[in-house]
Amino acid sequence: MQLSRRTFLGGGLAAAAVAVTGTPLISGCAADKKNQAAANLAVKLPTYTRFTGVKPDLPGTDLVLDGFLRYPANPLKTINDRPGDGQPITFMTNIPGAIPPAMDKNAFWQALNERLGSELQISMASNDEYKDKFATRIAGGDLPDLLNIPIDTVQIPGLVKAKCIDLTEHLSGDAISKYPFLANIPSEYWKGCVFNGGIYGVPVPRGMSRTSLPLYRADLLAAKGIKDPAPKNFQEFFDLAKEMTAAKQNKWAWTRVPLSTVRQMLGIPNVWKEDGGKFTSMYEHEAQAEALEAGRKMVAAGVINPDAFNDKATARKQWFNGGTAAFDYDSFVAWNQYYADNSAGDAFSVNMLDVPGFDGGLGAPWMGSALNNLTAFSKNSKHSVETLLKVANWMAAPFGTEEYLFRKYGVEGRHYALTGTDPVPTKIGSVETGIGLQYISDSTLALYWAGKPDVPQKQHAIQAKVAPRLTYDASYGLYSDTQSKKQTQLAKMLTDLENQIVQGKKPVTDWTAAVKTWRSSGGDAMRTELEQAFADAAGR
């Protein structure tokens, strides 16, 4: 069995962390947990100061992202000093695509080092391999200056306390004004960096950009005479899937069973729901049986690619891009990536469905995870905290600036060509620029695609439509020791069962017993700890 990143970090990293610190990463003592919650509550988050130097064509809100129809002409150069100190800075990260050429063969990387004023030495691993590399480096105590910590890492509070720098005095309140592009990251994202009564990292924000809904190949639907699909309930959603399936031509509607969409149709919570201080897990919701039955129906009808249960996410993306599937459940980040990977030519067009209520009305979409990761600074770094923060600030320069243009697109003539004011990546640009800078720090996503103003227009429209109905994970910013250690393993148990159920290999009725096992194996302990953390944070 191949371990997922979540499964691995649920076990191996805990052992690695014990090897580093000599003890489990956080005390199980109730008094300590209460003190932790009170200390975290007392932390003054960085003051949010929105950058106003670039005006969006499609203005956003606190939720809806800013949209741009073209890259601004004459981008603002906002940082004149090199942030580095002349000495190499080390960073370890995952890379979502192919590993790019090494520094000595990578003109973008070399130009970056010149701009930073320090050589950025990056230790990379693919998404699939990063879990092993991260755990090994933690266990060996050989940490880089900048460390990409996945948000599902086991017992983060003890890890960062033992190995990373407390950044509170540099970032809390108005102190962050020294780093204006870090200050441009909304306060909500910083909550995920607060541990042990301090700020222990820089957030890599996602939120709305990671919100996932049904993406569809608009060009493939249009070829069938379907324009602006808007199913009003599950039955119409199901009928649309059947219409887009032609198994004999190796074409299926869906890359995988859209259970998350069906759950949103039914109002099932986004991980955890809080009501009056009481927490309820999505697994316990009374509509789960109906969602599983709907998923089973879709599999039985043959509207799901039959390899959906065997292949990885990369295969699903290939099916969608290649036209083998017309629908995929994914995010706004993935929407852009599909255009980057487009192999279908100019006709290629992507759009996104809203979520209806199961029997009509409106569904309840889930807000995406607030953070991709947090970047912490090693206590053993020989660089000043100010230098590392200046580097992170440079990496967070927002859309429309000259720094963003370089960071995302590289050098004009080699990495991109201008079409009007839009930087259109070259093949070598797509290869050389993918060195993982976005995981040091980043601005919130801007809705934009070079040369295709219809993309941000569609993205902005669907975001504005779903924003008032988004539901949130009530556990964000709260810490449960049991959830940190056991959630991955227990979630896998339930995911394995749901896959068996939707394939018709086990009955829907098995779900009830599995949830009882989940509760007794840690679910109830998670609930108790989250409720206590919520009460402590509220001062009750």
Side-chain angles (χ1 to χ4, degrees):
M1 178 186 72
Q2 182 161 13
L3 296 178
S4 68
R5 180 177 81 172
R6 291 180 176 274
T7 305
F8 179 86
L9 292 177
L13 187 53
V18 172
V20 169
T21 62
T23 60
L25 287 180
I26 194 166
S27 168
C29 165
D32 280 354
K33 289 179 184 175
K34 185 160 188 174
N35 293 340
Q36 285 280 329
N40 290 345
L41 182 65
V43 173
K44 189 172 185 181
L45 295 174
T47 302
Y48 173 47
T49 306
R50 185 181 175 95
F51 176 70
T52 58
V54 179
K55 301 296 182 188
D57 300 304
L58 305 167
T61 66
D62 287 346
L63 289 177
V64 178
L65 299 170
D66 288 340
F68 294 84
L69 303 183
R70 63 195 58 82
Y71 206 89
N74 306 312
L76 290 172
K77 184 165 177 58
T78 54
I79 301 174
N80 293 315
D81 297 331
R82 295 177 181 180
D85 57 10
Q87 299 302 309
I89 296 172
T90 54
F91 174 50
M92 183 174 75
T93 188
N94 60 299
I95 297 293
I99 299 297
M103 188 193 305
D104 62 345
K105 299 176 181 175
N106 190 322
F108 170 73
W109 199 338
Q110 293 165 20
L112 170 73
N113 292 340
E114 177 66 24
R115 283 180 170 240
L116 291 181
S118 280
E119 183 178 286
L120 186 61
Q121 298 176 351
I122 308 175
S123 175
M124 306 176 192
S126 69
N127 283 354
D128 291 335
E129 295 170 346
Y130 188 62
K131 53 189 179 286
D132 298 314
K133 190 165 191 174
F134 184 80
T136 300
R137 291 285 290 271
I138 293 292
D142 174 26
L143 300 187
D145 298 309
L146 303 170
L147 180 63
N148 168 345
I149 301 180
I151 57 172
D152 53 1
T153 299
V154 174
Q155 296 177 296
I156 290 179
L159 171 62
V160 295
K161 187 172 185 178
K163 308 304 291 185
C164 302
I165 298 172
D166 183 345
L167 302 172
T168 311
E169 66 174 295
H170 302 276
L171 298 174
S172 181
D174 293 340
I176 200 173
S177 62
K178 192 173 177 182
Y179 311 101
F181 295 137
L182 295 182
N184 184 48
I185 299 174
S187 298
E188 186 69 17
Y189 297 113
W190 290 94
K191 289 181 182 178
C193 300
V194 174
F195 308 97
N196 315 304
I199 301 170
Y200 276 85
V202 172
V204 174
R206 288 297 182 263
M208 181 61 104
S209 63
R210 190 60 65 77
T211 295
S212 294
L213 293 163
L215 288 170
Y216 67 89
R217 285 284 302 274
D219 53 320
L220 299 183
L221 269 68
K224 288 258 193 181
I226 304 169
K227 294 186 178 179
D228 300 320
K232 297 183 176 61
N233 50 47
F234 172 73
Q235 188 58 52
E236 290 189 10
F237 179 80
F238 186 25
D239 290 342
L240 178 60
K242 287 189 278 192
E243 191 168 354
M244 291 306 300
T245 297
K248 288 182 180 178
Q249 285 84 50
N250 291 324
K251 294 185 184 300
W252 292 269
W254 276 91
T255 61
R256 54 177 160 169
V257 186
L259 267 177
S260 292
T261 300
V262 175
R263 285 167 167 148
Q264 291 168 32
M265 290 180 185
L266 289 161
I268 291 174
N270 181 358
V271 189
W272 285 97
K273 178 182 178 181
E274 178 272 324
D275 185 10
K278 301 297 181 185
F279 277 64
T280 306
S281 165
M282 64 177 293
Y283 300 129
E284 303 170 285
H285 196 273
E286 63 274 9
Q288 282 284 4
E290 193 170 7
L292 290 165
E293 179 58 33
R296 190 200 62 73
K297 238 172 113 174
M298 293 185 79
V299 174
V303 301
I304 315 295
N305 189 308
D307 291 324
F309 299 97
N310 305 318
D311 283 318
K312 297 180 182 178
T314 50
R316 295 198 298 269
K317 292 181 186 302
Q318 288 166 2
W319 300 337
F320 187 82
N321 259 329
T324 303
F327 293 90
D328 185 37
Y329 176 79
D330 217 323
S331 68
F332 291 90
V333 174
W335 187 335
N336 280 9
Q337 190 60 45
Y338 274 132
Y339 274 99
D341 296 339
N342 166 32
S343 58
D346 291 340
F348 185 84
S349 179
V350 177
N351 211 334
M352 188 178 260
L353 293 180
D354 193 357
V355 179
F358 193 85
D359 295 314
L362 299 172
W366 296 337
M367 180 62 157
S369 298
L371 304 184
N372 181 80
N373 64 283
L374 62 102
T375 297
F377 303 167
S378 170
K379 283 182 177 179
N380 294 330
S381 176
K382 294 182 172 60
H383 300 276
S384 70
V385 173
E386 289 81 1
T387 293
L388 299 179
L389 283 170
K390 283 195 290 184
V391 169
N393 180 70
W394 188 89
M395 297 290 175
F399 185 93
T401 62
E402 191 274 342
E403 292 81 6
Y404 181 101
L405 178 63
F406 170 78
R407 192 174 79 249
K408 299 290 187 180
Y409 295 95
V411 177
E412 184 184 357
R414 177 176 176 85
H415 301 111
Y416 68 88
L418 281 179
T419 299
T421 61
D422 286 320
V424 178
T426 62
K427 286 186 178 179
I428 192 67
S430 299
V431 170
E432 289 191 348
T433 57
I435 61 176
L437 302 183
Q438 71 271 30
Y439 302 135
I440 294 178
S441 65
D442 207 356
S443 56
T444 52
L445 185 77
L447 303 177
Y448 168 77
W449 192 254
K452 287 190 174 292
D454 62 309
V455 172
Q457 287 172 328
K458 291 173 185 175
Q459 293 175 333
H460 196 269
I462 189 68
Q463 286 194 3
K465 195 172 182 183
V466 302
R469 311 192 328 263
L470 289 170
T471 59
Y472 296 77
D473 175 5
S475 71
Y476 173 62
L478 303 175
Y479 182 74
S480 160
D481 197 39
T482 304
Q483 181 166 274
S484 175
K485 290 187 288 191
K486 291 189 174 182
Q487 169 65 7
T488 300
Q489 169 193 351
L490 293 176
K492 184 178 185 308
M493 172 192 76
L494 291 172
T495 300
D496 288 346
L497 175 61
E498 75 180 30
N499 284 338
Q500 295 286 307
I501 290 172
V502 297
Q503 291 177 83
K505 296 176 180 178
K506 289 193 175 179
V508 173
T509 51
D510 280 7
W511 184 258
T512 302
V515 172
K516 286 182 181 176
T517 301
W518 171 85
R519 290 185 58 181
S520 62
S521 301
D524 283 341
M526 293 179 211
R527 183 198 332 277
T528 299
E529 290 168 8
L530 289 171
E531 288 175 351
Q532 186 61 56
F534 180 81
D536 293 343
R540 293 197 288 270

